[in-house]
Amino acid sequence: MLIPVLVLLVMVCVHVAAWHHAATVATSVAARVAWAEAHYGAVPGEGERRAVELADDLDATLAAPVRVHRSASTVRAEVAIAIPALMPGFPSTVWRQATAARERVVPPGQR
């Protein structure tokens, strides 16, 4: 009776660790995407390209396309990272978002 409980406890610990790692990666990727898209003169799609590169570098899998929302003053990036399915009933995706202020040129007379 004790062995199945111990195995279950170990599996839960491993899944929590995998979830935490995926959450950290998703936060990092979202921040990098927002930063890349917020630069003055940024090319549309630069953030998505950087998201794929960083996810590959960190051995993570994007669970959905990166969403980038641009406004006049901010950029918000939403990223989903897939988690390996170790146990049923636990989440298989971690969503994170990051926001960055858009860079813009302000003429000296308008500062």
Side-chain angles (χ1 to χ4, degrees), residues 51-76:
V52 171
E53 286 178 1
L54 185 58
D56 286 343
D57 289 347
L58 297 175
D59 293 327
T61 304
L62 292 173
V66 176
R67 298 181 194 164
V68 178
H69 306 280
R70 296 169 192 84
S71 70
S73 60
T74 61
V75 174
R76 187 180 73 210

Side-chain angles (χ1 to χ4, degrees), residues 15-81:
H15 195 81
V16 167
W19 181 88
H20 185 269
H21 174 70
T24 303
V25 169
T27 301
S28 178
V29 171
R32 179 71 58 93
V33 170
W35 176 80
E37 291 283 341
H39 269 41
Y40 178 73
V43 177
E46 179 69 19
E48 288 88 347
R49 186 184 63 77
R50 294 232 182 155
V52 171
E53 286 178 1
L54 185 58
D56 286 343
D57 289 347
L58 297 175
D59 293 327
T61 304
L62 292 173
V66 176
R67 298 181 194 164
V68 178
H69 306 280
R70 296 169 192 84
S71 70
S73 60
T74 61
V75 174
R76 187 180 73 210
E78 297 176 0
V79 175
I81 299 292

Side-chain angles (χ1 to χ4, degrees), residues 8 11 23 31 47 85:
L8 180 65
M11 291 300 292

